[in-house]
Amino acid sequence: MNKCFAVFSLALLLGMPGLPYLADTDGKMARMDEVVVTAGRLEEEKKDVTVSMTVITEEEIDKPSIQDLTDVLEEKGFQIRQYNNSSAAITIRGLRTDPHGNDLEGKVLLLVNGRRSATGNVRDIPLENVEKVEIIRGPGAVQYGSAAMGGVVNVITKKGKSKPSVFVDAGFGNWGYDKYSAGVSGAAGNFDFSFSASRESQDDDYETGNGETYYNTAFDSKDRVSLSAGLTFMPNNRLGMTVSKYEGKNIGSPGYFPGEPDDSLKEYVNSENTNFDFTYDGNTSDSRWLWNIRYFMTDREYANINPPPDSSTFRDSDLKGMQGQLTFDSKHIRITGGFDWTDYELATNDASGTRTTKFENPAAFLLLKGKLLDEKLILSTGVRYDDYDVTSYDGSSISDDNVTPSIGIAYKVISTVTLRANYAEGFKMATPDQLFGGGQWYAPAPTALRPETSETYEVGAGFLKGSISADITFFKTDAEDFLSASYDFASGKYVYSNIRAVELGGIEGSFSVDVGEFFDWSWEVRPHLSFTHLTKYWNEEDSADMLYTPDWTASYGLGISNADKGFAASLDFSYFSEQNVKDYGPPPDYASVVVAAESYTVANFSISKDIFSNETSGSLTLKGGIMNLFDKDYEPVKDYPAPGRSFNIGLRYVF
């Protein structure tokens, strides 16, 4: 990313609020104030939030170039560390989820409908029945607890509304790829429902950008099912249930690959993730008091099958928990108090045998928000107390606690411009494996491990007028006691200790505008840009920049649509700058050196056109997508080459 682009982006974003000649929209529907729920655990207008947030809409999720949540996030400029078809992690401001374990292992938290998903693997989250995705850029620990140091990704599923409708979708692509999905959604009287199911498979191994076959990258099937249903009784009271399941069978996993593709690789992954949620939401007739109670369960099963003479690994995560909160909401002040309780049972089976550990975490929180000066000044603050008890596979246990505060301010200079500032702390509790070791790779920590902690400061500005939106944020994070594993020659295993401090800082921004609105076109023509630039990403332990961390990530592109003609198309680019990574040598030594991984830009193209659309017969839409449009040969993770140019085409019928 050159300096000219950086200067242009900054000037554009900072300059937008100073365009006094922009007229109000005339003859077009005004943009509704965007409503979010993740930042305050309750619906509120996005312009009243004091933290930096990104919202991904249903229209962006439904584009033909989107196959799963990784594609959605990457097209928004988030770095995704993908390991072929089996696992993927999202990075926010230099911190990421851990795709290989449960959500306790990462520094970014994945939520489904505001509760922990029990996974750090972005590919485990179904996307077929999703209304939108909300992302907090920066700590969300006050609201959601451990592992939300870098950010929070909240996937929000649909609820049935108005007249019931049905859809059927079929798509096909190269390398023997196909996907079928169907669903129904709507409301009847006091009952609402939304259901979807899908299956996708890929028969053949894919080719990389240089035309080589990357063996063992096909998969038998990925099945996803999601159901949301609710019954409204009395005024403003709803009982709800949500069920979702993801199951992947025989997903090829060639693993770390330092040389030429090898068709003898047979390692594969089987994965299941099943969720049950039961909720009760209500409020008084004047909406002064609101309440929510939730009980949830998650069963996650992961099997890495590695045929003899190598060993296989099986990991099961059973999560159960409760959430409860009560809110008093007046015109000028909102107070939300509540509790979270989660209980994990983690079982691992590998060459060393079977071991089971437990992780229990009760917590209480208090969130306050005030509106002053004719609602131009927004003040928010919160505090959270977490207690946790970790039990080893041998029955021993360790207890600890943590207090996390936050405070923020937003000021609406004029109706279109909002300034904001926020301070928030984050933390990550040590996991059972880090504390107690176990298995063939890790030994117990010699001393009690402290929680990883962070302090984040950010200031930003947002601009929203008609179809124009722009946002810019400067942030700085200081983190201490990061856990690091070092090799212990006495035991022949790795041991965790609190030895790392990390400094992160940078600037992020976004901009989009409907050009067609200014010329009174019937077409929407919307260029967009979002970026993150890390000016500092320093690892004190190594006295060097953090590994696997590009200093620039960006997404940009152009969308064109016309609702009356039933046409939409978009061209989207994702850019990731050079980053330092470890290059591992061949076995048995696996000696490593730090090398620079090349920067890369990936382009995706989507197009859809209604064949017919009317109230009597419904609508039939032809859609297609080209992923990696320019056949770029690149590696999201070193020696894990991504697919080359790929195509899909399909039909969607809605009635």
Side-chain angles (χ1 to χ4, degrees):
M1 185 73 65
N2 58 44
K3 292 182 179 179
C4 292
F5 177 81
V7 173
F8 170 76
S9 302
L10 183 57
L12 182 65
L13 288 165
L14 291 176
M16 287 308 302
L19 297 177
Y21 59 84
L22 290 176
D24 290 332
T25 57
D26 184 18
K28 290 204 173 188
M29 183 179 295
R31 172 177 290 195
M32 299 292 290
D33 289 332
E34 197 165 25
V35 175
V36 295
V37 299
T38 307
R41 295 181 57 137
L42 201 68
E43 284 192 353
E44 59 186 330
E45 293 182 6
K46 185 183 175 185
K47 62 185 180 182
D48 290 342
V49 174
T50 63
V51 297
S52 176
M53 286 193 67
T54 296
V55 179
I56 304 174
T57 66
E58 186 176 353
E59 290 75 20
E60 293 171 304
I61 293 169
D62 285 342
K63 290 192 298 187
S65 62
I66 302 301
Q67 295 183 358
D68 60 31
L69 187 56
T70 61
D71 301 322
V72 175
L73 296 170
E74 192 168 64
E75 285 197 1
K76 281 294 183 179
F78 294 99
Q79 182 193 13
I80 303 295
R81 287 181 54 81
Q82 300 190 49
Y83 297 85
N84 311 112
N85 292 314
S86 59
S87 61
I90 177 178
T91 300
I92 302 177
R93 296 182 177 178
L95 303 174
R96 63 180 56 89
T97 61
D98 176 12
H100 303 297
N102 60 69
D103 60 329
L104 299 173
E105 297 283 354
K107 295 177 178 64
V108 170
L109 186 60
L110 295 181
L111 306 176
V112 176
N113 294 325
R115 63 89 155 178
R116 303 181 77 100
S117 65
T119 181
N121 184 358
V122 179
R123 294 193 186 277
D124 281 350
I125 309 296
L127 200 60
E128 278 66 28
N129 199 35
V130 171
E131 179 179 303
K132 63 179 177 177
V133 180
E134 296 181 357
I135 301 162
I136 297 177
R137 296 171 175 261
V142 168
Q143 301 94 324
Y144 301 105
S146 178
M149 299 175 69
V152 174
V153 179
N154 187 16
V155 178
I156 300 170
T157 58
K158 297 177 184 177
K159 293 180 181 178
K161 300 174 182 178
S162 64
K163 180 182 177 181
S165 64
V166 178
F167 79 88
V168 179
D169 206 331
F172 309 90
N174 49 345
W175 306 313
Y177 176 84
D178 57 62
K179 183 175 182 178
Y180 305 91
S181 59
V184 58
S185 179
N190 294 332
F191 180 69
D192 62 85
F193 57 93
S194 183
F195 169 81
S196 71
S198 70
R199 164 166 285 195
E200 62 179 315
S201 63
Q202 183 178 306
D203 297 332
D204 303 320
D205 299 319
Y206 67 69
E207 294 181 358
T208 64
N210 62 12
E212 291 186 283
T213 299
Y214 191 10
Y215 293 103
N216 198 33
T217 54
F219 57 92
D220 284 357
S221 63
K222 295 180 181 179
D223 297 331
R224 298 176 175 92
V225 177
S226 178
L227 168 66
S228 174
L231 178 66
T232 300
F233 65 99
M234 300 189 302
N236 310 314
N237 287 264
R238 180 180 182 272
L239 290 174
M241 178 188 71
T242 302
V243 181
S244 66
K245 182 171 183 176
Y246 163 78
E247 182 175 7
K249 293 184 178 179
N250 297 333
I251 301 172
S253 179
Y256 171 69
F257 188 79
E260 294 297 320
D262 183 356
D263 62 359
S264 67
L265 295 170
K266 301 300 180 184
E267 186 175 351
Y268 62 93
V269 166
N270 288 332
S271 179
E272 290 187 33
N273 199 32
T274 306
N275 300 282
F276 295 91
D277 287 67
F278 305 93
T279 59
Y280 168 43
D281 298 275
N283 59 270
T284 56
S285 58
D286 58 2
S287 296
R288 297 287 292 270
W289 293 93
L290 306 92
W291 53 87
N292 168 268
I293 299 174
R294 178 196 305 269
Y295 177 79
F296 58 90
M297 299 178 292
T298 292
D299 179 22
R300 181 176 185 265
E301 299 179 7
Y302 178 89
N304 191 323
I305 310 299
N306 199 343
D310 295 322
S311 61
S312 300
T313 301
F314 303 86
R315 293 194 295 268
D316 293 345
S317 303
D318 289 327
L319 167 65
K320 57 184 177 181
M322 289 190 68
Q323 294 176 325
Q325 64 186 53
L326 177 65
T327 299
F328 171 77
D329 191 2
S330 69
K331 182 178 180 181
H332 300 295
I333 189 169
R334 189 178 75 185
I335 304 172
T336 300
F339 70 91
D340 291 331
W341 170 72
T342 54
D343 185 49
Y344 290 81
E345 185 171 296
L346 312 168
T348 302
N349 185 308
D350 55 24
S352 65
T354 301
R355 60 189 183 278
T356 300
T357 57
K358 295 183 179 181
F359 189 103
E360 187 174 9
N361 176 203
F365 62 88
L366 182 65
L367 308 174
L368 295 91
K369 175 162 287 189
K371 298 182 178 182
L372 307 173
L373 303 180
D374 198 23
E375 300 189 5
K376 290 183 177 181
L377 179 65
I378 310 296
L379 300 175
S380 68
T381 186
V383 64
R384 180 185 179 96
Y385 173 78
D386 282 88
D387 182 78
Y388 63 99
D389 186 82
V390 187
T391 303
S392 171
Y393 53 88
D394 63 5
S396 59
S397 64
I398 292 178
S399 298
D400 207 337
D401 58 10
N402 191 83
V403 177
T404 313
S406 73
I407 186 169
I409 182 172
Y411 182 69
K412 301 171 186 177
V413 182
I414 54 178
S415 61
T416 57
V417 179
T418 302
L419 304 178
R420 63 178 186 272
N422 200 77
Y423 166 82
E425 296 184 8
F427 71 101
K428 189 190 85 66
M429 301 175 181
T431 66
D433 284 348
Q434 292 167 339
L435 287 165
F436 304 114
Q440 55 187 327
W441 300 112
Y442 295 100
T447 59
L449 299 175
R450 299 179 298 277
E452 301 178 343
T453 59
S454 68
E455 295 182 331
T456 297
Y457 306 83
E458 64 178 69
V459 293
F463 175 81
L464 180 63
K465 184 177 179 68
S467 68
I468 305 173
S469 66
D471 196 273
I472 193 163
T473 303
F474 299 86
F475 60 89
K476 181 179 184 295
T477 296
D478 295 318
E480 296 182 350
D481 290 328
F482 268 30
L483 293 167
S484 182
S486 57
Y487 188 75
D488 178 48
F489 289 94
S491 64
K493 296 183 178 183
Y494 289 91
V495 180
Y496 277 97
S497 58
N498 296 101
I499 61 175
R500 276 204 296 167
V502 170
E503 296 180 19
L504 291 160
I507 177 175
E508 60 194 14
S510 63
F511 168 74
S512 72
V513 58
D514 178 12
V515 177
E517 181 177 281
F518 298 110
F519 299 97
D520 200 26
W521 295 342
S522 60
W523 291 76
E524 179 178 281
V525 180
R526 183 178 292 277
H528 67 86
L529 164 71
S530 63
F531 69 89
T532 299
H533 175 45
L534 294 177
T535 56
K536 178 176 286 189
Y537 45 106
W538 184 257
N539 178 0
E540 186 181 86
E541 177 189 2
D542 301 323
S543 296
D545 287 340
M546 295 169 60
L547 298 178
Y548 312 106
T549 307
D551 61 341
W552 277 101
T553 63
S555 67
Y556 52 95
L558 178 68
I560 301 174
S561 63
N562 187 309
D564 293 335
K565 297 182 182 297
F567 177 86
S570 66
L571 179 61
D572 301 285
F573 297 85
S574 299
Y575 170 82
F576 304 93
S577 67
E578 182 181 277
Q579 55 184 299
N580 291 331
V581 301
K582 281 190 176 181
D583 186 11
Y584 290 92
D589 296 329
Y590 295 104
S592 66
V593 294
V594 175
V595 299
E598 294 182 356
S599 64
Y600 61 89
T601 301
V602 183
N604 295 327
F605 176 72
S606 294
I607 188 169
S608 63
K609 178 68 175 72
D610 288 350
I611 298 175
F612 64 80
S613 179
N614 57 68
E615 293 184 3
T616 304
S617 304
S619 65
L620 181 65
T621 303
L622 177 66
K623 59 180 186 176
I626 306 176
M627 287 65 70
N628 195 0
L629 178 64
F630 301 113
D631 208 18
K632 175 73 174 178
D633 185 23
Y634 71 101
E635 299 174 339
V637 179
K638 182 170 176 55
D639 297 318
Y640 289 83
R645 184 187 296 117
S646 59
F647 309 83
N648 67 48
I649 188 170
L651 287 170
R652 181 182 181 91
Y653 175 68
V654 179
F655 178 74

